[in-house]
Amino acid sequence: LRRVRPDEIGLLGSIGKQLQTWGDHQTAVKVWSLLFEQDLPDPLRRTWLPTAIKAANDAGRFMTKVEWEREQRRLEPESKPAEPAKN
């Protein structure tokens, strides 16, 4: 399974979360990996990445964890420097 229909993407996200709840972190990482291979909108990636990163860490998949952390940083909105206070 490599291509996921758009109407099944949310279902797979729920399955990934449930697998983690059950302690099956290895399979959860496989589900998250499949999801992140899809052409997902950035807001959805930002939503799921923290959960996927935890699964990768819990599964001992540290290279995957690092890859997803990089993706998370890439997707974070750039913070604007604080403007000086006006008197």
Side-chain angles (χ1 to χ4, degrees):
L1 180 66
R2 286 287 160 228
R3 279 271 144 235
V4 178
R5 292 187 346 214
D7 62 325
E8 295 175 338
I9 286 176
L11 176 62
L12 280 177
S14 296
I15 290 170
K17 289 179 184 178
Q18 187 60 53
L19 288 166
Q20 285 178 247
T21 300
W22 291 334
D24 189 353
H25 307 294
Q26 292 291 340
T27 307
V29 170
K30 289 179 185 180
V31 170
W32 294 121
S33 294
L34 174 63
L35 276 171
F36 293 139
E37 289 174 7
Q38 309 307 306
D39 186 23
L40 299 176
D42 288 349
L44 194 52
R45 286 181 184 275
R46 276 194 301 272
T47 298
W48 281 339
L49 274 166
T51 307
I53 290 166
K54 182 177 182 340
N57 186 64
D58 292 346
R61 302 274 305 272
F62 300 113
M63 293 301 293
T64 302
K65 176 184 179 247
V66 168
E67 177 185 330
W68 288 343
E69 286 173 335
R70 274 192 209 117
E71 177 75 0
Q72 187 177 38
R73 282 191 301 275
R74 184 188 71 77
L75 293 172
E76 287 176 356
E78 293 185 30
S79 59
K80 297 179 181 177
E83 292 186 23
K86 296 180 181 177
N87 293 334

